[in-house]
Amino acid sequence: ALISLRKSGINTPADLIGKKVSFGLDDRASIISMFNEAGVKAESYTYVPNAFFDVNNLIEGRVDAISSYLTNQPFIFKQKNIDINII
């Protein structure tokens, strides 16, 4: 899955056109597949490598969405009282 900040208004893969998206090599296939299914081409967003699921890149605005495992990253945002969208 991808996570964006709720205040960003990014709710779908298409909303990421022209945006910075961070994901790791382990997530690459599933994220690219999601984008392909939604018709979002690789050249329409900026890829930012993320090997360690650094939520601060999203919180501090360095990227517009990050890859996430639904088992732990949403909980981190909940603890910080930050509203998110899950794509």
Side-chain angles (χ1 to χ4, degrees), residues 6-87:
R6 174 127 340 125
K7 66 183 179 183
S8 72
I10 297 171
N11 298 301
T12 69
D15 294 335
L16 289 164
I17 293 173
K19 305 291 186 190
K20 294 178 186 173
V21 183
S22 182
F23 52 90
L25 292 177
D26 292 345
D27 302 327
R28 187 175 190 282
S30 60
I31 300 301
I32 297 297
S33 178
M34 178 194 321
F35 282 146
N36 287 340
E37 182 71 24
V40 176
K41 307 234 182 268
E43 60 271 8
S44 66
Y45 62 90
T46 301
Y47 166 69
V48 178
N50 183 6
F52 303 107
F53 301 102
D54 185 359
V55 298
N56 290 318
N57 284 335
L58 180 62
I59 294 168
E60 296 171 8
R62 291 187 290 269
V63 297
D64 300 292
I66 60 170
S67 61
S68 170
Y69 291 112
L70 297 179
T71 54
N72 58 342
Q73 274 86 11
F75 180 71
I76 293 168
F77 287 100
K78 185 175 183 174
Q79 285 183 312
K80 295 177 181 283
N81 290 319
I82 298 173
D83 294 327
I84 60 170
N85 298 317
I86 297 175
I87 304 167

